[in-house]
Amino acid sequence: MARVLIVDDSPTEMYKLSAMLEKHGHQVLKAENGADGVALARQEKPDAVLMDIVMPGLNGFQATRQLTKDADTSHIPVIIVTTKDQETDKVWGKRQGAKDYLTKPVDEVTLLKTLGSVLAG
């Protein structure tokens, strides 16, 4: 199963996403903000990253850009998972290098299907 890094400043969202992934055998790594998420991704090289957008300090767009433009982490697919559901946000997220964009609340089937598809390449 996959090692998935969740980057989200909401303990509730972190719990929900972790529970969904762990239930299906995935290993979860956690970071509470963009800067920690980037650092942990560089250190641990997870199979995928679930990235929130609205966080203190380095936001999810900035963190996604750092990960996808860095030679050490550019192979790690980033899925943005956020409450921001405007088309402009989705376009901007993809432009930063995100492989997919999900809007909260995310249901388990959609999350697992999206994760499977980005892991498959």
Side-chain angles (χ1 to χ4, degrees), residues 14-74:
M14 185 74 81
Y15 174 79
K16 283 188 207 165
L17 293 169
S18 298
M20 285 186 223
L21 293 170
E22 288 169 347
K23 183 168 126 186
H24 292 274
H26 296 293
Q27 182 185 350
V28 174
L29 303 166
K30 300 173 185 176
E32 293 176 5
N33 60 60
D36 289 352
V38 169
L40 197 56
R42 286 186 177 136
Q43 181 186 331
E44 295 290 332
K45 305 283 193 293
D47 298 311
V49 177
L50 300 182
M51 181 75 72
D52 185 26
I53 296 301
V54 183
M55 296 182 286
L58 193 69
N59 72 36
F61 289 135
Q62 295 165 317
T64 297
R65 187 170 52 244
Q66 284 188 18
L67 290 175
T68 58
K69 305 296 182 233
D70 183 326
D72 287 342
T73 54
S74 62

Side-chain angles (χ1 to χ4, degrees), residues 4-8 10-24 26 28 30 50-52 79-82 102 104-108 111-112 115:
V4 181
L5 169 59
I6 301 171
V7 185
D8 199 314
S10 160
T12 306
E13 286 299 324
M14 185 74 81
Y15 174 79
K16 283 188 207 165
L17 293 169
S18 298
M20 285 186 223
L21 293 170
E22 288 169 347
K23 183 168 126 186
H24 292 274
H26 296 293
V28 174
K30 300 173 185 176
L50 300 182
M51 181 75 72
D52 185 26
I79 301 168
I80 290 177
V81 183
T82 182
L102 299 175
K104 294 175 185 174
V106 178
D107 69 89
E108 196 168 315
L111 178 66
L112 294 166
L115 182 61

Side-chain angles (χ1 to χ4, degrees), residues 70-113:
D70 183 326
D72 287 342
T73 54
S74 62
H75 66 283
I76 303 169
V78 177
I79 301 168
I80 290 177
V81 183
T82 182
T83 54
K84 292 173 76 67
D85 65 352
Q86 298 297 311
E87 195 55 39
T88 51
D89 295 319
K90 294 175 185 174
V91 169
W92 188 243
K94 296 272 180 88
R95 220 178 255 173
Q96 304 316 302
K99 295 289 185 235
D100 216 322
Y101 193 107
L102 299 175
T103 307
K104 294 175 185 174
V106 178
D107 69 89
E108 196 168 315
V109 172
T110 304
L111 178 66
L112 294 166
K113 192 172 124 199

